[in-house]
Each structure stands twice: as C-alpha cells, then as structure tokens.
Amino acid sequence: MASLTQWISGARPRTLPNAVAPVVAGTGAAAWLHAAVWWKALLALVVAVALIIGVNYANDYSDGIRGTDDNRAGPIRLVGSRLATPRAVLIAALAGLTVGSLAGFALALATAPWLIAVGVLCVAGAWMYTGGSKPYGYAGFGEVAVFVFFGLIAVLGTQYTQALRVDWVGLVLAVATGALSSSVLVANNLRDIPTDAQTGKITLAVRLGDSRTRVLYHALLATAGILTIVLMTATPWCAVGLLATPLALRAAGPVRTGRGGPELIPVLRDTGLAMVVWSIAVATALILAPAPAG
C-alpha cells in the first residue's frame, strides 16, 4: 500500500507549473483586453490542475503495465515500483480526468458550448499519450502534444473563456508557454533516453539522440525569451518577464554541461519554476499596463 507521500509523488508535482502557467498567462491576455473574469480563471485552473494530475496517473498506469517504468532514473512510479496496484492508479487517473471534465463542462456552458468538443479532445489526448494500443507518446509526438494542449489550447482557451476573443498577445503568450512546457518534457525524456530506448518507448529524445535533444531544450528556452521581447511591443512592462532568465539559466546548467540520469531531475523543477515566474511577471505587466488602443 502506497503512502500518502508516495501518492503525492506519483502525481508528479514538478509538472504542476505546466498547468498553472498557461492559466496565469491566458488570464493576463484577457486582462490586456480588459476582460478578465476571475471566477472563470479559477475554474480554468481547476480544469488544468485536475487534468494534469489525471494524465500523470494515467501515464503511471499505462507505462507501468507495459513495463516501461520497471527500471528508471527518475522519481518513483507507483505501478512500476509495485507500490500500488494498476487498478488503484487507474481509478486515481479517472478521478482526476473526471474532475477536470466536469469543471471544463461547466466553463464551456458558461462561455460557448462548442468548447465541450475541445474538452473532449483534451481528455482523449491525455489518455492516448501513453494509453491505448498506439500511444503517441511512444512515437515521438509527446512534445508536440504538450505544445498544443498546454500552450495553444490552454492559454488561448483561458483568454477566450474570459474575453470571448483572442488576439496576437494571447497567441504570443501561447507559443511561449508551449515552448516552456515542452522544454520540461524534453528534459524529462533526455534523462530517460537509455531506459526508454530499451523498453521501446521511442520518444522524440530517443529519435534525436542525447546531443540534439540538449540543443532542442535550449532552443525552446530561447524561443520563450525572444517572444518575451516581442511582447514588449505591446507594452514595455512585459520586460519584467525577463526576470525569469536567471532561473532559466540555472535550469539549463545541467543540460548544458552534459549531466545525465538523476542529475537531470532538478532541471524539471527549475524549468517549471522559471515558467511560473515568467507567466506571473508577464501577466502582471499586462494587467497593470494601460489599455491597448481601440
């Protein structure tokens, strides 16, 4: 029987910034249009956090029953470590996905019913990442999915549910957030290249190899930095987003110096922290900035 601490670890709390940052950024984009609706922002946060916890448990379940997690360098996995039964982890996954679905359903009804279809797509994407007969996470499309779901859909969806429209500021925020979210997964898969290759989990990192995966990680961080400068054309106040640069550089240190295995675990934490600091800083700038012309 897994302990509470082990269940919390199994939820992969280091990935929570991937849920929080898009909602913060999307709310900042809505505030830029003077259309922020705080109860909708909180509901969107419930959706994002519940879905990411659900997908993390779903990945634990699917990877565990396939034997992918039997030997790994990262934090514990409940099924792979035999700390919990597959059925118990599956129930936890379904609980998270259900809470997220219900919150998303309520948000869609309060905004535009067609958003329900987007929600169905998100839940299906969460499950099919490592679940089903042909999981796309095993074919090298995980980073693309993270970019789409935790970048484009999460940020623009948050902006739209509040402002009932999206704009170029929201799109730039979505791309930057997607790049940062993808960099977290890139760091995770960089660490797991040896074990993933052995178990047939052909992630993008396995396809690219160690050195090119490290280049990709840095390119994603650089993309977010460049787009922060682009946001300064909307309001110079967005320069405060660059305050996350020292955190990003700290996160990139082990990747740049060729560290591997468990030495890459802090990269996930520090990249996520940089992403949250960046999103809060930029959102605050957009909230406090003068209204855009027109």
Side-chain angles (χ1 to χ4, degrees):
M1 179 73 70
S3 66
L4 177 60
T5 299
Q6 290 168 332
W7 275 104
I8 292 174
S9 178
R12 309 184 193 183
R14 287 187 178 89
T15 65
L16 289 181
N18 295 66
V20 174
V23 176
V24 172
T27 300
W32 171 247
L33 299 176
H34 280 210
V37 181
W38 300 109
W39 70 266
K40 286 188 175 183
L42 291 174
L43 196 54
L45 184 61
V46 172
V47 174
V49 171
L51 287 182
I52 202 167
I53 290 174
V55 73
N56 285 340
Y57 282 132
N59 293 346
D60 192 308
Y61 167 79
S62 297
D63 285 342
I65 62 175
R66 283 189 171 91
T68 306
D69 286 340
D70 288 351
N71 296 288
R72 51 177 288 107
I76 64 166
R77 296 294 181 255
L78 296 169
V79 176
S81 300
R82 310 299 191 269
L83 293 170
T85 65
R87 182 174 183 274
V89 176
L90 176 60
I91 290 173
L94 294 176
L97 296 176
T98 299
V99 170
S101 297
L102 291 175
F105 183 73
L107 188 57
L109 288 182
T111 306
W114 62 265
L115 289 172
I116 295 173
V118 178
V120 171
L121 177 65
C122 291
V123 173
W127 178 258
M128 294 172 63
Y129 174 55
T130 56
S133 59
K134 294 182 178 180
Y136 62 82
Y138 279 58
F141 295 107
E143 285 79 1
V144 174
V146 167
F147 180 83
V148 171
F149 289 117
F150 291 102
L152 301 183
I153 291 179
V155 175
L156 294 177
T158 299
Q159 184 185 29
Y160 183 84
T161 56
Q162 297 176 55
L164 299 182
R165 66 187 178 100
V166 298
D167 69 342
W168 74 268
V169 170
L171 180 59
V172 172
L173 285 167
V175 174
T177 304
L180 290 171
S181 291
S182 296
S183 70
V184 175
L185 183 59
V186 168
N188 181 80
N189 289 343
L190 171 64
R191 181 197 66 211
D192 293 339
I193 285 177
T195 54
D196 284 345
Q198 291 174 1
T199 56
K201 186 175 182 179
I202 310 302
T203 63
L204 181 60
V206 172
R207 291 183 183 277
L208 293 176
D210 186 278
S211 60
R212 286 188 292 181
T213 300
R214 294 176 192 271
V215 171
L216 174 60
Y217 174 83
H218 288 100
L220 290 169
L221 292 186
T223 297
I226 292 170
L227 291 178
T228 302
I229 296 173
V230 172
L231 286 170
M232 291 169 59
T233 63
T235 170
W237 292 30
C238 283
V240 298
L242 298 175
L243 292 175
T245 300
L247 292 171
L249 292 175
R250 185 177 75 178
V255 178
R256 184 181 64 255
T257 56
R259 304 291 179 86
E263 293 178 307
L264 289 172
I265 293 176
V267 176
L268 278 70
R269 177 201 63 209
D270 292 340
T271 306
L273 180 60
M275 177 166 52
V276 170
V277 170
W278 172 83
S279 66
I280 292 174
V282 173
T284 301
L286 293 171
I287 290 169
L288 298 178

